Amino acid sequence: MRRPENPFKRALHAGRQQIGLWCSIPSALTAEAVAASGFDWLLIDGEHAPSDVPDMMAQLQAMARGTAHPVVRVPWNDPVIIKRVLDVGADTILVPMVQNAEEARAAVAATRYPPHGIRGFASNVRATAFGRMSDYFTRHEEEMCVLVQVETVEALEKVEEIAAVDGVDGVFIGPGDLSASMGLLNQTRHPDVVAAVEDGMRRILAAGNRPGILANDPVLARRYMAAGAVFTAVGIDVMLLVRAADDLARQFRE
């Protein structure tokens, strides 16, 4: 058995737009339900959703029946957590709150085996099909996709250095925490926040890397895509559920 290719990583490096959906509901059932909806990627959220590693593994297993590529956002830039998430089968991770090039290098190192990194060795885990993938350890760097998240004014000031780190495949701008860092908490549509995001994207592209974003507003999502976002999340599962439920209840109450 050979290790599967990472189509998401290849698409990013080819500059092909990848449309995604944020999965904040820690449920394998809902993950399976949206995995065949037509998105290019789905974000399994381990930072702000109440998901632990077994929950994320269950979502990875459920998504295997769909067509979307799973991206796992780990709760922090922690090599122990990253190791466990990779061992259960994640090939693409998003690391939050990366502030500088040193932290970006640490995130990459957590995904690489020695001598190129610090990832611990285990041969009989889900990632290797329980030891059946003969080429897992020779191709792991080739197929591993590392995305880092810049979310503060300070991180954006250093975004060229972060984007230049070898092994960083994409730089995701987090609009929510960025708005807070700018003194505009929860104002992700504020003109100053939008301008900062677009400027950050231009600089990421100029540095030879690939920018990403989450924009729950379709107009804003298309604006960011036009500004250069290569991987763009355009919705959040729990918000889709809430809006649909609220709209349905409103129709009958009226």
Side-chain angles (χ1 to χ4, degrees), residues 34-244:
V34 297
S37 292
F39 294 101
D40 297 302
W41 59 286
L42 300 176
L43 190 287
I44 299 172
D45 194 1
E47 183 187 13
H48 288 295
S51 292
D52 292 321
V53 173
D55 303 308
M56 291 185 274
M57 182 179 70
Q59 290 173 81
L60 287 168
Q61 291 170 320
M63 288 179 184
R65 298 188 62 183
T67 55
H69 180 79
V71 177
V72 176
R73 179 162 71 168
V74 294
W76 195 247
N77 192 359
D78 179 340
V80 175
I81 294 294
I82 291 173
K83 172 178 62 179
R84 295 187 68 202
V85 167
L86 299 185
D87 281 352
V88 298
D91 281 334
T92 301
I93 62 168
L94 175 61
V95 181
M97 203 57 75
V98 170
Q99 293 286 81
N100 51 53
E102 181 181 0
E103 293 182 3
R105 283 191 287 270
V108 173
T111 71
R112 268 57 169 170
Y113 295 105
H116 302 132
I118 60 169
R119 180 181 175 186
F121 173 82
S123 62
N124 59 342
V125 292
R126 182 175 182 269
T128 68
F130 307 99
R132 296 186 180 95
M133 288 184 190
S134 59
D135 60 345
Y136 182 87
F137 298 103
T138 57
R139 294 178 53 224
H140 72 280
E141 289 189 23
E142 178 185 348
E143 303 304 335
M144 186 60 57
C145 184
V146 179
L147 312 173
V148 298
Q149 194 161 337
V150 294
E151 309 181 68
T152 65
V153 172
E154 293 77 13
L156 276 181
E157 288 174 351
K158 300 175 181 177
V159 75
E160 288 91 353
E161 300 171 19
I162 294 169
V165 170
D166 186 35
V168 170
D169 298 292
V171 181
F172 182 94
I173 300 177
D177 281 301
L178 178 61
S179 72
S181 175
M182 295 174 66
L184 298 166
L185 179 62
N186 196 34
Q187 299 180 57
T188 56
R189 296 177 179 84
H190 191 283
D192 290 349
V193 176
V194 173
V197 170
E198 291 181 326
D199 179 64
M201 286 183 175
R202 284 191 291 269
R203 292 162 59 202
I204 293 164
L205 288 167
N209 214 304
R210 294 143 291 275
I213 194 72
L214 165 64
N216 204 39
D217 176 343
V219 174
L220 193 55
R222 294 187 185 279
R223 176 170 175 170
Y224 286 146
M225 290 164 65
V230 180
F231 56 110
T232 311
V234 297
I236 304 172
D237 59 356
V238 69
M239 293 184 71
L240 294 175
L241 175 61
V242 167
R243 287 175 180 173

